[in-house]
Amino acid sequence: MFKAIFLQKNEQAEFSASLAQLDESQLPGTGDVLVEISHSTLNFKDGLAICNKSPVVRQWPMVAGIDGAGTVLESAHPKFKAGDEVILNGFGVGETHWGCLAEKAKLKGDWLIKRPAGLSAEHAMAIGTAGYTAMLCVMGLEAHGVKPEQGEILVTGATGGVGTVAIALLSKLGFTVVATSGKPEQSQFLKNLGAAEVLDRKTLSEPGKPLQRERWAGVVDCVGSHTLANACAQTKYGGTVTACGLAQGMDLPSSVAPFILRGVTLKGVDSVMAPLAIREEAWRRLAKDLDLNKLSSLSRVLPLQGAIEAAGQIMAGANTGRVVIKM
Ligand code: NDP
C-alpha cells in the first residue's frame, strides 16, 4: 500500500481530492520504471488539478503531481536500474498518467532524467517544473542573444514559482532584473533574491497602447493577458519576450506593432513536452547557475497531507515561492 493525493469524480460527476491509501497493483501498467518518490512539489498546474479549477486531469481517477524525485525500485527500461536517483517533470504525469504526489509512481523511463550531482531530491523539487521552466525561459533569452549589457529584464508574476527562480537565475548570471508583483509586502524578499527594482503589477495589468516607451531587453512573463501585451509593447528594439504562463489570463490582447516595428521576438516556452536533450541541458544549467542558498530561502517543505490546503493557497494567488512535498 502507498499514500497518494487521489482525485476522483463520482457518478454524479462530483469532484473530490483526498489523501488515500492505494494498492501498488493499481499503478498504471504503461509505466516501465517503479519509483519510490521521496519528494514532490506543488506547481500552479497541481493547484488547478487538486482544486478542479480547469480541465488539467483528463483521466479519472487520477493521482496528482506533475513532478517527482526519488529512487528507482524496479526497472524494465534499459537506461535505468534499481537505486538510480531520478527526476520527473511533466509529460502528462498527474494529467493522463498517475502522478508523483504519492509514495510510489510507475513512470516511463523515456520521461525520466538522472538527478544531477550536486542537487538533492529536495533541491530538485524546490526547483520543480516551475524552476525548470524558469531555466527554459532564461535559455530562450540567451538563445536570442539577450545579454546583461543590453539592459533590464522584466520578470512578471515575480513571487510565484517560475518568477522567483527566474529572478535568482538571472541575477546570478549578471542581468539587472525588474520584478512586477501584486504583493508589495514581498518587495524585500524579491530584492534579496536579486531583483534590482520591484513594480506594482497594476502598472502592466491594464489595457495599454500597442507601442510604449522602450525599456526591457528581455522579459520572462508568467502572467499572459494585458501584462504580456504591455511587456511586448515596452520591449526594446530587437529584444525577446519569453511567454510561459497565464496567471492573469490566457488571452493576448496585443497588436503586431512590437514585432513588425521593433523586431521583438515572442518566444513561447513549454516544459511539459520539451524534448529530453533540452530538459537535460536545463537541469545541468540549474545545477550550475542556481544559488542553492537562495533556493532554500524561497521554498518551504510540507508533508503529503498538507498538499490539498497548500494547493488552495496557490489558487487564491496567496503563494510565495515554492512548496516542496516530502513523503
Ligand atoms: P504560482 O502560482 O507560483 O505564481 C503565479 C504568480 O502570478 C503569483 O504568485 C502572482 O505573483 C501572479 N499572479 C497571480 N494571479 C495573478 C493575476 N490575476 N494577475 C497578475 N498576476 C497574477 O505559479 P507558477 O510560478 O508555478 O506558474 C506561473 C505561470 O506559469 C502559471 O500560469 C503556470 O500555469 C505557468 N507555467 C507554465 C509552464 C509551461 O510549461 N509553459 C510550466 C510551469 C508553469 P505576484 O503576486 O508576485 O504578482
Side-chain angles (χ1 to χ4, degrees):
M1 301 295 286
F2 65 97
K3 289 194 196 115
I5 300 296
F6 200 52
L7 311 179
Q8 304 179 76
K9 278 193 176 168
N10 66 15
E11 282 171 7
Q12 287 74 44
E14 290 162 341
F15 171 84
S16 66
S18 61
L19 179 65
Q21 283 273 3
L22 303 174
D23 193 292
E24 215 176 284
S25 64
Q26 294 173 269
L27 283 165
T30 48
D32 53 9
V33 182
L34 179 65
V35 180
E36 181 168 42
I37 302 291
S38 66
H39 296 78
S40 182
T41 179
L42 288 175
N43 297 282
F44 191 83
K45 193 185 259 180
D46 296 305
L48 290 171
I50 293 170
C51 299
N52 196 32
K53 289 283 185 200
S54 80
V56 169
V57 176
R58 278 161 286 141
Q59 272 178 35
W60 303 95
M62 181 55 58
V63 170
I66 69 170
D67 286 331
T71 310
V72 172
L73 292 173
E74 293 166 16
S75 171
H77 190 283
K79 210 171 131 188
F80 297 100
K81 59 178 189 324
D84 285 346
E85 299 292 342
V86 292
I87 302 174
L88 179 284
N89 301 114
F91 276 123
V93 172
E95 302 179 53
T96 55
H97 186 104
W98 279 18
C100 299
L101 279 164
E103 292 167 332
K104 285 187 183 163
K106 207 163 183 189
L107 304 163
K108 287 194 182 174
D110 289 347
W111 298 338
L112 296 171
I113 64 166
K114 292 197 174 151
R115 175 156 57 76
L119 287 182
S120 66
E122 186 177 317
H123 290 141
M125 290 298 101
I127 294 168
T129 281
Y132 139 69
T133 302
M135 189 74 241
L136 293 179
C137 291
V138 173
M139 287 161 59
L141 294 176
E142 290 173 341
H144 286 85
V146 180
K147 297 195 169 55
E149 58 272 21
Q150 291 167 348
E152 296 165 312
I153 308 294
L154 172 69
V155 176
T156 66
T159 63
V162 180
T164 46
V165 178
I167 294 168
L169 281 169
L170 287 162
S171 64
K172 180 148 184 234
L173 292 168
F175 288 94
T176 304
V177 183
V178 177
T180 60
S181 176
K183 303 186 188 84
E185 71 282 5
Q186 298 291 352
S187 289
Q188 194 53 50
F189 163 71
L190 294 172
K191 286 181 180 169
N192 293 345
L193 278 183
E197 190 182 347
V198 181
L199 303 175
D200 187 330
R201 76 180 184 209
K202 283 195 201 124
T203 58
L204 283 166
S205 60
E206 301 300 322
K209 291 183 182 163
L211 283 179
Q212 302 170 32
R213 186 174 71 82
E214 293 177 49
R215 178 159 184 191
W216 318 116
V219 177
V220 174
D221 179 61
C222 307
V223 166
S225 192
H226 292 294
T227 301
L228 176 55
N230 287 322
C232 291
Q234 295 175 8
T235 296
K236 286 190 194 181
Y237 193 96
T240 297
V241 178
T242 54
C244 71
L246 43 59
Q248 183 181 1
M250 208 170 190
D251 56 330
L252 178 52
S254 184
S255 81
V256 296
F259 314 114
I260 65 170
L261 298 176
R262 291 187 181 157
V264 168
T265 298
L266 181 56
K267 161 91 179 90
V269 172
D270 168 61
S271 66
V272 182
M273 301 309 290
L276 216 51
I278 293 176
R279 290 168 186 261
E280 284 169 347
E281 173 61 7
W283 278 98
R284 190 191 66 74
R285 289 285 308 274
L286 283 159
K288 181 166 88 64
D289 292 332
L290 187 59
D291 179 335
L292 295 182
N293 290 325
K294 283 187 182 171
L295 184 66
S296 304
S297 78
L298 61 82
S299 54
R300 61 198 162 106
V301 182
L302 297 177
L304 188 57
Q305 57 266 36
I308 294 175
E309 189 184 338
Q313 290 168 356
I314 289 178
M315 285 301 93
N319 183 53
T320 294
R322 301 279 301 131
V323 180
V324 175
I325 302 293
K326 188 172 178 193
M327 301 307 151

